[in-house]
Amino acid sequence: MRIGSFTRLASGVLLLAGLASVAIAQDSQSRLTGLQLSGDKPIQIESERLEVRESENVAVFSGNVSVVQGPTLLKAGRMKVYYLKDGGSAATGSANIDRLEVDGSVYVKSENQVATGDSATFDMATEVLVLSGKEVVLSEGENVIVGCRLTVQMKSGQAELDGCDGGGSGGRVKMLLTPGSQNRQ
């Protein structure tokens, strides 16, 4: 793969990591900023299988997918990378990425923050990230926020967490903030 395309691929995936700091920030001076993307660090992707469907402009990493960059870790069952049909090659990584789809128990961790859900998508053109599932959980230490669909506008930093339809929560977002917990870390 060409390094530039590989970096764009992993950068898009690791943008998932930025969601927790946006979604659960208490105020502008919050310490909930541990999940971050760093464009200057190496990226390691491992999976049990990589399938490239050149005619469909798709690459699929499947089976215990693990993406690591610095302190940030993404784990999932499968990650699909959709490439634009601009003449590049998905097999060599020279094509531009259109969108990413990650599913199968999505787990993102960096230092002391964790985000989990059932699936996530990232649209490269609009820079919109959506993490969804039966329960989307964002946490830092004892501080936790729970909903079912998190949408993050990466350009503006605007985040919206929707509650779950039905179920025991009655469609509400739940948040637990523990005073002084940031000083204990």
Side-chain angles (χ1 to χ4, degrees):
M1 282 189 165
R2 223 174 57 188
I3 296 297
S5 294
F6 189 73
T7 300
R8 285 192 302 274
L9 160 67
S11 294
V13 171
L14 291 175
L15 283 173
L16 294 171
L19 61 92
S21 61
V22 174
I24 60 177
Q26 297 171 36
D27 56 44
S28 62
Q29 297 187 3
S30 173
R31 292 181 57 202
L32 301 177
T33 58
L35 295 179
Q36 300 198 8
L37 172 67
S38 179
D40 61 344
K41 293 187 179 175
I43 299 162
Q44 178 178 337
I45 300 176
E46 295 181 9
S47 64
E48 292 173 6
R49 181 178 176 163
L50 170 60
E51 176 184 357
V52 177
R53 300 182 206 149
E54 188 71 40
S55 64
E56 299 173 38
N57 293 326
V58 175
V60 181
F61 295 86
S62 58
N64 297 317
V65 178
S66 174
V67 181
V68 178
Q69 183 184 40
T72 303
L73 167 67
L74 166 72
K75 290 186 175 186
R78 180 176 63 171
M79 177 174 68
K80 291 177 94 173
V81 181
Y82 293 86
Y83 294 91
L84 295 172
K85 297 177 182 176
D86 62 1
S89 170
T92 63
S94 63
N96 290 321
I97 297 169
D98 178 37
R99 72 185 187 280
L100 303 168
E101 294 178 0
V102 183
D103 59 33
S105 298
V106 178
Y107 171 90
V108 182
K109 180 182 188 301
S110 185
E111 295 179 8
N112 60 350
Q113 294 181 324
V114 175
T116 61
D118 295 329
S119 62
T121 61
F122 182 71
D123 184 291
M124 298 297 277
T126 61
E127 295 185 32
V128 173
L129 167 73
V130 178
L131 178 63
S132 59
K134 183 178 176 185
E135 186 175 73
V136 172
V137 179
L138 307 170
S139 63
E140 179 183 43
E142 298 173 33
N143 299 317
V144 180
I145 184 169
V146 179
C148 281
R149 181 179 169 94
L150 174 68
T151 303
V152 180
Q153 306 285 332
M154 301 305 288
K155 288 179 185 176
S156 67
Q158 180 179 347
E160 182 177 311
L161 183 62
D162 297 319
C164 304
D165 296 331
S169 66
R172 299 172 62 89
V173 173
K174 298 181 279 185
M175 180 181 278
L176 171 65
L177 299 176
T178 305
S181 64
Q182 292 175 341
N183 296 331
R184 291 190 285 258
Q185 297 181 24

